[in-house]
Amino acid sequence: MAVAVDVSRFENVSMAPPDPILGVSEAFKADTDATKLNLGVGAYRTEDLQPYVLKVVNKAEQLMLERGENKEYLPIEGLAAFNKATAELLLGADNPVIKNGQIATVQGLSGTGSLRLGAAFIARYFPGVKVLISSPTWGNHKNILSDVGVPWSEYRYFDPQTVGLDFKGMIEDIKGAPNGSVILLHGCAHNPTGIDPTPEQWEAIADELEEKGHMPFFDVAYQGFASGSLDDDASSVRKFASRGFEMFVAQSYSKNLGLYAERIGAINVILPTADLAARVKSQLKRLARPMYSNPPVHGARIVANVVGDSVLFDEWRAEMQMMAGRIKGVRQKLYEALLSKDKSGKDWSFILKQIGMFSFTGLTKSQSDNMTDKWHVYMTKDGRISLAGLNLAKCDYLADAIIDSYYNVK
């Protein structure tokens, strides 16, 4: 029997605004213009602008079918073969941290879930400690920290004058943070700017963190996908590990294996002893249990199968290099189109200096709105475009849209 109520208890629930990133795709789908272009969500597309399932993923899934693997629950910490593989990919199999058992690894729900688990750990065991995040950063970083009650502030990162790294400002803000703060760093292919510190700058950042007693928290979402090299893209994390830092590292396989919907990633904590690693892992599991109980198995088996088979592993590296190479080609073509069309002498070389799937154009919100309203180019309002959603054939069109928006819209 239905219960009649005069006023719903949910009347005070307001409509949430569209997600600033995922909402872009919803708007794109509703647009019927033939010239429309979706450069909002960071998902790889082929030259035909179609989603791409890696061939090596299909082969790994075929192996799972042939073995008749079941769908039983995983342990709270996830698939053991995956956890071993992901830690070794991050640090290198021969790394002393691995050999000495100084790392606590727990499978998480891709990068977001792994970051959330790390943030929950900070909230519980380091109450009141502030996390510094780059300005700008991936939008969900703020949501994750705020939702678990971890205080955060920003450090300078992007210099709008040079469309490059504000290294001086970054160091000043890290130096000015309370001793023992947590500094959230992007391991490679900074999102949204595509601007990474040089190896020398990474050393200086490590020096400053060490002097202030800060703890690094790396977000590694693009290992192998940024440069095409798993080792090069992990060099920042390995540098800090070699210097003996205690640190968190979140990983995701959405981009480098194209496992967007499988929600496969990990949270790692690097510690000075195996005993501490065991204790920290036990508490990460304790946090995960009421949050999602245990992680999904399908993506974890794909990663474990690919990394655990030398033939599949080599094929994966080749496919990563292909994807990274296509994005580099599009980046070069866009730069050349802008250079040929813009006769003002403006320096567009920042596009080539950025790395990974994104380019931070420097366009304002109103200019970004013009990109969408007039040119049907869908992008985030901070001026970020995903080059993974662009093809060579559309570079001239995009260059026209950028030039029009930059010069004709305040």
Side-chain angles (χ1 to χ4, degrees):
M1 180 177 176
V3 178
V5 292
D6 292 331
V7 179
S8 170
R9 295 183 183 183
F10 299 92
E11 278 297 326
N12 65 337
V13 178
S14 61
M15 179 66 71
D19 184 90
I21 297 176
L22 300 182
V24 173
S25 289
E26 296 171 10
F28 171 79
K29 289 176 183 176
D31 191 337
T32 58
D33 191 274
T35 61
K36 68 180 182 177
L37 194 56
N38 187 359
L39 305 182
V41 178
Y44 181 81
R45 295 290 181 261
T46 65
E47 188 62 23
D48 296 325
L49 300 184
Q50 296 301 310
Y52 179 65
V53 178
L54 274 68
K55 295 180 179 65
V56 74
V57 167
N58 288 330
K59 291 180 180 181
E61 289 180 318
Q62 185 59 41
L63 277 176
M64 291 160 61
L65 288 172
E66 291 171 359
R67 293 170 182 167
E69 291 172 325
N70 61 46
K71 302 294 184 182
E72 290 291 304
Y73 289 126
L74 286 178
I76 299 171
E77 67 265 34
L79 185 71
F82 166 79
N83 287 346
K84 179 177 184 294
T86 198
E88 291 180 352
L89 277 174
L90 180 66
L91 297 176
D94 59 348
N95 194 296
V97 170
I98 301 284
K99 290 184 174 181
N100 298 332
Q102 296 168 239
I103 185 168
T105 301
V106 171
Q107 182 185 333
L109 305 182
S110 198
T112 300
S114 301
L115 286 161
R116 176 65 180 253
L117 199 52
F121 190 99
I122 292 170
R124 178 167 295 184
Y125 292 99
F126 312 132
V129 169
K130 181 177 284 188
V131 176
L132 271 71
I133 57 178
S134 64
S135 176
T137 192
W138 179 51
N140 225 11
H141 283 153
K142 297 177 182 178
N143 297 333
I144 290 165
L145 295 169
S146 295
D147 275 9
V148 294
V150 172
W152 57 267
S153 63
E154 295 177 309
Y155 59 84
R156 283 169 284 176
Y157 194 87
F158 177 69
D159 183 349
Q161 300 303 314
T162 64
V163 199
L165 178 63
D166 182 1
F167 184 66
K168 181 174 179 290
M170 179 184 184
I171 291 296
E172 287 176 355
D173 290 345
I174 290 173
K175 188 188 295 285
N179 289 359
S181 297
V182 175
I183 311 299
L184 185 59
L185 301 163
H186 299 228
C188 64
H190 181 274
N191 180 4
T193 68
I195 302 161
D196 287 350
T198 65
E200 295 75 23
Q201 288 172 332
W202 275 121
E203 286 287 0
I205 293 166
D207 289 342
E208 198 57 53
L209 264 68
E210 186 173 17
E211 184 174 330
K212 293 284 295 184
H214 295 329
M215 182 186 297
F217 192 149
F218 278 97
D219 184 357
V220 179
Y222 306 100
Q223 187 182 354
F225 190 81
S227 69
S229 168
L230 287 163
D231 293 327
D232 289 351
D233 290 347
S235 61
S236 59
V237 175
R238 294 178 185 182
K239 185 186 298 290
F240 278 67
S242 70
R243 293 183 55 156
F245 278 95
E246 293 182 320
M247 60 182 175
F248 293 87
V249 187
Q251 293 170 279
S252 167
Y253 289 88
S254 292
K255 309 301 191 296
N256 57 11
L257 261 172
L259 299 177
Y260 306 99
E262 301 297 349
R263 312 314 295 150
I264 176 64
I267 182 67
N268 305 271
V269 189
I270 296 173
L271 296 144
T273 68
D275 175 64
L276 269 175
R279 281 189 270 157
V280 168
K281 184 173 182 177
S282 74
Q283 294 298 339
L284 286 169
K285 290 164 60 176
R286 188 178 179 188
L287 287 165
R289 175 61 170 151
M291 195 182 296
Y292 56 84
S293 194
N294 44 34
V297 69
H298 192 81
R301 283 183 175 148
I302 291 172
V303 176
N305 285 344
V306 169
V307 177
D309 183 303
S310 60
V311 174
L312 292 182
F313 185 67
D314 287 343
E315 290 183 19
W316 177 37
R317 289 196 296 185
E319 284 196 88
M320 273 191 293
Q321 289 166 2
M322 178 274 293
M323 291 189 291
R326 194 190 84 75
I327 294 172
K328 288 177 185 176
V330 166
R331 189 182 287 279
Q332 180 69 39
K333 179 69 182 296
L334 176 61
Y335 166 72
E336 291 171 357
L338 287 166
L339 204 62
S340 66
K341 292 172 180 290
D342 182 7
K343 306 304 182 184
S344 72
K346 176 177 168 57
D347 183 7
W348 294 99
S349 65
F350 65 84
I351 290 175
L352 298 180
K353 295 173 185 175
Q354 296 167 354
I355 189 173
M357 69 195 313
F358 299 117
S359 178
F360 208 58
T361 62
L363 294 178
T364 64
K365 181 183 182 300
S366 59
Q367 291 166 341
S368 299
D369 285 339
N370 185 69
M371 294 279 288
T372 301
D373 298 340
K374 179 177 177 179
W375 294 89
H376 304 274
V377 175
Y378 288 82
M379 56 191 288
T380 54
K381 300 307 180 184
D382 57 4
R384 186 195 80 172
I385 57 174
S386 173
L387 296 179
L390 180 65
N391 61 3
L392 295 173
K394 286 278 194 175
C395 284
D396 281 336
Y397 179 80
L398 179 60
D400 287 334
I402 291 173
I403 290 170
D404 172 61
S405 301
Y406 180 75
Y407 288 109
N408 297 326
V409 179
K410 297 297 183 185

